[in-house]
Amino acid sequence: MADTVREIERKYEADKTTQLPDLAGVDAIATVAEAGTEDLDAVYYDTPGLCLAAEGITLRRRTGGKDAGWHLKLPVAPGVRDEVRAPLSDTPPPELTALLRSRLLDRELVPVVRLRTHRTVQVLQDAKGAPLAEIAVDAVRARRAAAPAGRKKAKPAPAKARWHEIEVELAGDGDPGLLDAVGRKLTAAGVRPASAASKLARALAETGLRHEASAGHGDGPDGRPAEGATKGSGNGGAAGSGKRGDTAGDVVLRYAREQVRAIIELDPAVRRDLPDSVHRMRVATRRLRSAFRSYTKVLDRGVTLPIGTELKWLAAELGVERDREVLTERLRSGLAGVPRELRLGPVDARLRIWSERRRAGARGQLLAVLDGPRYLSLLKTLHALLEAPPLRPAAARPAPEVVAKAVLKDYRRLAGRMEAALAAPAGQQRDEALHGARKAAKRTRYAAEAARPALGRPAKKFARRIKRVQQLLGDHQDSVVARATLRELATQAQQAGEGGFTFGLLHGREEALAADRERRLPRVWKKAARRRYRTALRP
């Protein structure tokens, strides 16, 4: 069974003569305890094109030391990685390779480098003897396990390399400021920060194994190494800054690449059940599909339509778990606001059982989707689309005029739906009309966000106004769904002889909330629909 540790460390250059300075008294360090030596033997795995190395990801099988086993390191931030561990086995464990599926697709993993390290360890302790960090001096021997892929060199690189380095790794969830203080002490003693981000990166460089992206032949979806799955990936709206002279194709493809990267990078986070990962991946999926639908003058609809259908399917599968999360939190929050004397029967327990049953089913279903052939086929199709985008003639035109027309077209569609929704009679008909308007608002907002590199601040302001409308409509739709669930829970409670009074009370509160959102909507829409916001979009 795999487990995860957060690795926060700093690396420094060293040689045979390097002496560590006395670190006692630095920050909270009271004593420095000798912890002996270790001999570590690690084989690193990657694709023949080194697609994992291109993204700063490492997979190794290591023997020796206190943590022998398989280690998968996923970048979180500079100097910070999540290390997912699994027991020793002869081949890469499925629980780790599953986390790499969105990167590997169906490419094989092969040994690329073997590192043998003689490590001398010291433990940096506080005044009570508790470990704050470990500092290790490593003597490393690297041997290439594979020849450089597909490139001829006038002079072959050496198959072996040797070097010394220093690692300082924080213990547990300690303060990273300690590493900064230790770094200053080491620098003052003449020790330089390492030029390579990891042992693997240095081994690849010194033995002539360069990942394909570094040579301009990346096997990522856009020919470049993807960025790390940092907070907000897939939810940031505009995909990078625009450049003077950008064509419509430049802007739309940049945005599409950003969403594809987000899907790929968030895949392992979803599998690990990290907070907000399902939501962020779903948003990236929706953004991409929305871009295909909004920018049909740029990308051939005949090609993107079937891909959009698959993206809609994936968003729906991600939505099963996400919608349960949102609904559960809404119901729990509502229940917390009910005075205890009005909580009749085991309402808390019934709500918990309802949520846990649906979570177990939704979680298993989502993992099956991510492991299934349909999802893999979608990822391959997205790679192929970005490698050979189906551009239409308008893609070569200046970006502002093309993207502005697309945003305004989506706005007119939204305006028509809002007019119909506000005129619809109260009840199910209005609920459905408002839900349709919400979808149109989301599409308009995404189109405006994609256009920001070309249209600048006006697109940002327009998207923000439309987002307010979308959020109001979303809260109304969440109330519609919550009321249906409360009716279901009340029925179950009555059938069990518990009574459904409390669930009925919550139902009434949701009705009042939905009515309030309907009263507020005309005013919020009127502000968003002001002509000046649309006029500002025109180049």
Side-chain angles (χ1 to χ4, degrees), residues 241-306:
S241 300
K243 298 178 182 178
R244 190 176 185 86
D246 271 355
T247 65
D250 293 331
V251 171
V252 174
L253 284 176
R254 190 182 302 128
Y255 183 81
R257 287 190 181 102
E258 180 68 18
Q259 307 319 313
V260 173
R261 281 201 297 272
I263 293 169
I264 292 169
E265 293 167 0
L266 287 164
D267 175 292
V270 170
R271 293 174 186 271
R272 294 166 60 201
D273 203 17
L274 297 186
D276 205 35
S277 58
V278 172
H279 171 61
R280 291 163 58 203
M281 187 172 178
R282 187 188 189 190
V283 168
T285 304
R286 285 176 162 175
R287 286 184 188 277
L288 184 58
R289 178 172 178 254
S290 183
F292 289 162
R293 299 173 75 190
S294 296
Y295 293 103
T296 55
K297 297 294 185 182
V298 176
L299 296 174
D300 187 345
R301 183 70 169 151
V303 176
T304 62
L305 180 60

Side-chain angles (χ1 to χ4, degrees), residues 206-406:
E206 295 199 10
T207 62
L209 282 170
R210 300 282 186 173
H211 58 70
E212 292 180 353
S214 68
H217 303 287
D219 49 4
D222 58 354
R224 299 180 299 170
E227 300 171 2
T230 55
K231 183 177 181 181
S233 179
N235 295 307
S241 300
K243 298 178 182 178
R244 190 176 185 86
D246 271 355
T247 65
D250 293 331
V251 171
V252 174
L253 284 176
R254 190 182 302 128
Y255 183 81
R257 287 190 181 102
E258 180 68 18
Q259 307 319 313
V260 173
R261 281 201 297 272
I263 293 169
I264 292 169
E265 293 167 0
L266 287 164
D267 175 292
V270 170
R271 293 174 186 271
R272 294 166 60 201
D273 203 17
L274 297 186
D276 205 35
S277 58
V278 172
H279 171 61
R280 291 163 58 203
M281 187 172 178
R282 187 188 189 190
V283 168
T285 304
R286 285 176 162 175
R287 286 184 188 277
L288 184 58
R289 178 172 178 254
S290 183
F292 289 162
R293 299 173 75 190
S294 296
Y295 293 103
T296 55
K297 297 294 185 182
V298 176
L299 296 174
D300 187 345
R301 183 70 169 151
V303 176
T304 62
L305 180 60
I307 302 175
T309 299
E310 293 302 283
L311 289 169
K312 181 179 181 180
W313 160 77
L314 178 59
E317 295 292 350
L318 291 164
V320 173
E321 170 64 4
R322 173 60 182 172
D323 291 346
R324 182 207 61 82
E325 289 178 356
V326 172
L327 181 56
T328 297
E329 179 57 32
R330 187 182 188 96
L331 296 179
R332 284 176 177 166
S333 178
L335 190 57
V338 175
R340 186 158 298 277
E341 62 271 17
L342 296 181
R343 298 186 198 179
L344 306 184
V347 289
D348 293 271
R350 181 160 293 283
L351 176 56
R352 183 177 63 254
I353 292 170
W354 172 88
S355 179
E356 289 176 353
R357 283 177 177 172
R358 280 154 182 77
R359 185 186 191 283
R363 181 74 184 155
Q365 178 182 339
L366 179 55
L367 292 176
V369 165
L370 297 182
D371 288 333
R374 186 173 180 180
Y375 173 64
L376 181 63
S377 177
L378 172 58
L379 292 177
K380 290 180 178 180
T381 302
L382 293 175
H383 279 243
L385 176 113
L386 294 180
E387 288 172 358
L391 297 176
R392 298 189 64 198
R397 289 163 53 191
E401 60 177 280
V402 176
V403 299
K405 287 181 179 179

Side-chain angles (χ1 to χ4, degrees), residues 44-55 57-59 92 97 100-113 145-151 200 204 209-213 217-220 383:
Y44 287 77
Y45 286 72
D46 207 328
T47 64
L50 302 180
C51 77
L52 301 184
E55 299 190 40
I57 296 171
T58 63
L59 174 66
T97 56
L100 297 171
R101 193 182 193 219
S102 64
R103 268 93 171 192
L104 297 176
L105 301 179
D106 51 9
R107 288 170 288 193
E108 65 173 336
L109 284 168
V110 297
V112 291
V113 167
R151 279 178 294 279
L200 176 62
L204 294 176
L209 282 170
R210 300 282 186 173
H211 58 70
E212 292 180 353
H217 303 287
D219 49 4
H383 279 243

